[in-house]
Amino acid sequence: MATHEELGECLADFRDRCNADPQLRRLLLDWDRDILVQATDADSSYVLTVRDGTVYLDHRGGEVGRPDVTVSAEIALLVELFSGRITPTEPYLNGTLKVLGTEEDVMRLDFISLMIWGE
Amino acid sequence: MRLKRVLSLPTIVSTSAGLTLASSCFVAAAQVAHYLAGNAAWLAILVSGILCLLAAACFSELNGMLPSAAGIRLYLARAFNERVAVTASLVYMGVVASVIGAESYVLSQVLVAAVPWIPALAWIIILEALVVGLNLRGVKLAGRFQDVVTYSLVSSLLFFAFLALGRQGFSVPEPLVTGGAVNLINAVALGVFLFIGFEWVTPLAEEVTKIKLISRGMFLAIGLLSVTYALFTVGMSSTVDPDLLSATPAPQLLFAERLLGKLGVGWMVALSLAASVTTFNAGLLSLSRFIYASAREHVLPSALARINRRYFTPWTAILAVFAFALVVSITVYLTRRYLVLVNVGAATEALIYVLAALAVWALRRREPDAPRPYRVPAGRLLPWVVVVVFGLLAAAVLGQDLAALAYLAGTVVAGWLYVRWAVPVLKERARARRSTARLRQAEMVPSGRPSR
């Protein structure tokens, strides 16, 4: 089973890839959001914060009372997802991945993964 | 966990009712009145509404159990299998696109009546291009705007209904004369069309704080629509001869003109425009997102998953819907057979309700212990009632319109063959592309960095 630390490493890699892509940073300029990433089968949660096109990673998951988007799934799936081994679409459509938020935010999140890892 | 942006109950009701209210509903309402000998349209509409409440109960159980924007696609996949889910979703979306095409034709006829120097075909292109343009730029109707439009529409329709009924001293001749059971069944079957789209609110499950709000919103919307449609249709059919109403794609204009002259026509044109634009916009939005998601999971060609990098909208999917709806509109314009699509819409909707009820039953067997915030009452009886009743209603609609039967059967067969033969090829190609991309990326990733 994947661990809290592994999820943290994947999210850190995800953050670095976002911040290393100047085109993506430009596209995120108007999208300030708090994204809570929460494991459903482990005590593990992180917050990805997007401010002025830069992505930050924080461990204070439990302290974010009102995120804009919540991404929740089993920790193994989250690790697969944020390391780019799987696309979000299939687990989202089969119900194993839940993304709570407005449709535009969900779309934007999917687009980020598309830009980082392609299809 | 409470999100920053959440929807309230009035907005859920207005969204559910607003997606349903469209110009083609007036056509369907006129047809319902035409089927019946007396002024019993209210009875057929209320029965349709009550039956739709039963279907809404099934959607509520499924939505509570699986709250997701994927909606019916997810329910069917979990209850049956991927192939059934994808086929049903493709057919459903194809029919929704057809109904959008029919809707733009009906609205163009309304606008031609008001502005005759612009031809209907030009109106069709202008309207569809306008909504596509809004969608391409990511303009989404805000919840408050949807509230204002829907509640204004409902108030106006009730105003027209009470004005008509008031002029007759609230005395409607033959309010219970149906002309026989067969007529009533056909009228009820077509009445289902009036409620098409109430369940499109279920994808909003991810934007509410309590999942039960979606159920309540659907129930309230159906109740509101039932009363509004029933009063409006009786007012309309008791003011204008139902034969005249059923022969035109813009019956509401005849009614409005008889009541208020030019002012009534202008008012009704504005109402029809508001009703159609909100339905178009919502239909195009959900269709394009569905096509985008399907392309992302390689059920449709990957070219349909392209996103506009300025507005974050799936532009190729939006243009694909535009092209399809335009072809349907032009075909309807040339053949004038808009009622075929009304019947196809009613039958497809009835069959989707059958599938939803079967999904409730199947999931209770497969996942009996899964949490269900809402449970359809009366055990397994109610889902089976939905299956039988809506199965019969679909048969009634298709039995009296063979063109609609051929259209729907053709769509289902085409969908099934596509899922059976084309989807595996698309998935295999995507797998191959992904493997190649991974190999290339692994070669480029410096050592020490986590490779994927």
Side-chain angles (χ1 to χ4, degrees):
Chain A
M1 185 175 158
T3 61
H4 177 70
E5 286 69 31
E6 276 177 79
L7 178 59
E9 281 172 27
C10 292
L11 287 169
D13 180 48
F14 178 81
R15 174 201 59 199
D16 294 344
R17 284 172 188 267
C18 288
N19 292 338
D21 186 333
Q23 195 185 9
L24 185 55
R25 288 185 70 158
R26 236 183 354 262
L27 292 171
L28 294 179
L29 271 177
D30 64 340
W31 197 64
D32 286 359
R33 295 288 186 275
D34 294 326
I35 303 157
L36 176 65
V37 180
Q38 201 168 35
T40 53
D41 59 341
D43 183 20
S44 178
S45 57
Y46 290 87
V47 176
L48 288 164
T49 305
V50 186
R51 292 286 181 276
D52 299 321
T54 304
V55 180
Y56 304 93
L57 176 65
D58 208 330
H59 300 253
R60 59 187 169 87
E63 292 170 26
V64 172
R66 298 182 70 189
D68 298 286
V69 185
T70 302
V71 180
S72 58
E74 290 185 357
I75 194 164
L77 179 62
L78 290 173
V79 167
E80 296 265 295
L81 190 67
F82 283 100
S83 58
R85 284 194 282 268
I86 57 168
T87 63
T89 320
E90 284 191 38
Y92 181 67
L93 287 176
N94 69 28
T96 49
L97 168 69
K98 284 197 175 128
V99 187
L100 302 179
T102 66
E103 197 204 349
E104 296 98 300
D105 287 344
V106 174
M107 191 94 177
R108 189 82 74 125
L109 205 52
D110 183 48
F111 181 73
I112 295 170
S113 79
L114 191 66
M115 279 205 63
I116 295 176
W117 292 304
E119 63 173 322
Chain B
M1 181 68 62
R2 188 182 167 86
L3 296 169
K4 280 179 187 164
R5 296 169 185 78
V6 289
L7 298 172
S8 63
L9 184 61
T11 298
I12 294 166
V13 175
S14 74
T15 305
S16 182
L19 298 180
T20 306
L21 272 165
S23 294
S24 48
C25 289
F26 300 118
V27 176
Q31 296 300 319
V32 169
H34 182 62
Y35 269 119
L36 302 167
N39 276 306
W42 66 274
L43 187 62
I45 290 169
L46 288 186
V47 171
S48 302
I50 290 167
L51 294 177
C52 286
L53 280 176
L54 302 182
C58 294
F59 276 103
S60 294
E61 178 164 330
L62 295 169
N63 187 54
M65 194 181 165
L66 303 163
S68 161
I72 190 89
R73 165 88 172 69
L74 172 59
Y75 312 150
L76 298 183
R78 286 283 277 269
F80 310 113
N81 57 51
E82 273 298 306
R83 197 172 282 177
V84 170
V86 174
T87 307
S89 305
L90 287 175
V91 169
Y92 190 30
M93 292 298 151
V95 170
V96 168
S98 304
V99 172
I100 288 177
E103 174 72 11
S104 63
Y105 169 77
V106 169
L107 184 60
S108 74
Q109 297 301 307
V110 172
L111 293 171
V112 162
V115 190
W117 59 88
I118 298 181
L121 197 56
W123 275 123
I124 289 172
I125 295 168
I126 291 168
L127 289 166
E128 291 187 5
L130 177 75
V131 176
V132 163
L134 287 174
N135 264 270
L136 283 173
R137 294 202 58 160
V139 176
K140 200 178 169 191
L141 300 179
R144 276 188 192 162
F145 181 79
Q146 181 77 52
D147 289 354
V148 170
V149 170
T150 304
Y151 294 124
S152 304
L153 264 168
V154 169
S155 312
S156 296
L157 296 180
L158 287 173
F159 171 79
F160 275 99
F162 281 113
L163 186 64
L165 296 171
R167 285 189 182 176
Q168 302 162 39
F170 291 97
S171 168
V172 177
E174 301 178 328
L176 291 168
V177 177
T178 60
V182 174
N183 289 14
L184 183 62
I185 290 169
N186 279 328
V188 169
L190 201 55
V192 171
F193 185 90
L194 297 171
F195 299 91
I196 282 186
F198 75 80
E199 77 283 7
W200 289 2
V201 80
T202 52
L204 297 182
E206 296 175 355
E207 298 181 41
V208 295
T209 43
K210 288 180 188 165
I211 206 67
K212 281 192 172 183
L213 284 181
I214 296 281
S215 313
R216 272 184 221 153
M218 274 195 293
F219 291 136
L220 287 171
I222 293 171
L224 185 68
L225 289 173
S226 301
V227 173
T228 307
Y229 283 139
L231 288 168
F232 183 83
T233 309
V234 171
M236 185 166 69
S237 64
S238 60
T239 303
V240 185
D241 181 355
D243 288 340
L244 277 178
L245 291 172
S246 69
T248 169
Q252 71 274 32
L253 290 191
L254 290 180
F255 176 44
E257 189 174 27
R258 188 72 61 87
L259 280 182
L260 292 172
K262 282 187 179 171
L263 171 70
V265 171
W267 190 346
M268 197 54 87
V269 168
L271 291 181
S272 302
L273 200 58
S276 289
V277 167
T278 49
T279 305
F280 270 167
N281 204 52
L284 191 62
L285 196 76
S286 54
L287 267 174
S288 59
R289 289 345 180 236
F290 169 79
I291 290 174
Y292 168 80
S294 301
R296 285 282 277 136
E297 61 161 342
H298 313 299
V299 164
L300 289 171
S302 55
L304 293 169
R306 289 190 188 141
I307 289 187
N308 178 301
R309 293 186 175 199
R310 185 162 177 202
Y311 301 113
F312 289 92
T313 49
W315 66 275
T316 47
I318 291 171
L319 291 181
V321 179
F322 174 52
F324 188 83
L326 201 57
V327 168
V328 172
S329 305
I330 292 172
T331 308
V332 173
Y333 172 76
L334 294 174
T335 61
R336 306 279 191 258
R337 300 197 66 182
Y338 55 93
L339 287 178
V340 172
L341 291 178
V342 170
N343 287 331
V344 168
T348 307
E349 194 70 1
L351 291 174
I352 288 293
Y353 298 163
V354 168
L355 283 174
L358 286 172
V360 167
W361 179 80
L363 284 170
R364 281 188 185 178
R365 281 189 66 190
R366 280 189 175 189
E367 303 177 32
D369 301 324
R372 288 172 171 80
Y374 178 88
R375 229 182 148 85
V376 179
R380 288 179 183 173
L381 178 68
L382 207 142
W384 279 114
V385 170
V386 172
V387 169
V388 173
V389 169
F390 280 99
L392 289 173
L393 291 180
V397 171
L398 296 173
Q400 50 92 31
D401 187 343
L402 293 181
L405 175 64
Y407 187 100
L408 188 55
T411 310
V412 171
V413 170
W416 180 258
L417 290 175
Y418 178 82
V419 171
R420 176 81 179 78
W421 301 107
V423 171
V425 174
L426 289 174
K427 292 216 173 214
E428 190 48 49
R429 279 188 194 160
R431 247 192 303 274
R433 275 200 305 272
R434 202 166 164 78
S435 303
T436 313
R438 263 192 214 162
L439 278 173
R440 279 196 199 135
Q441 206 163 17
E443 285 165 9
M444 289 164 64
V445 171
S447 58
R449 193 170 182 188
S451 73
R452 293 183 298 109

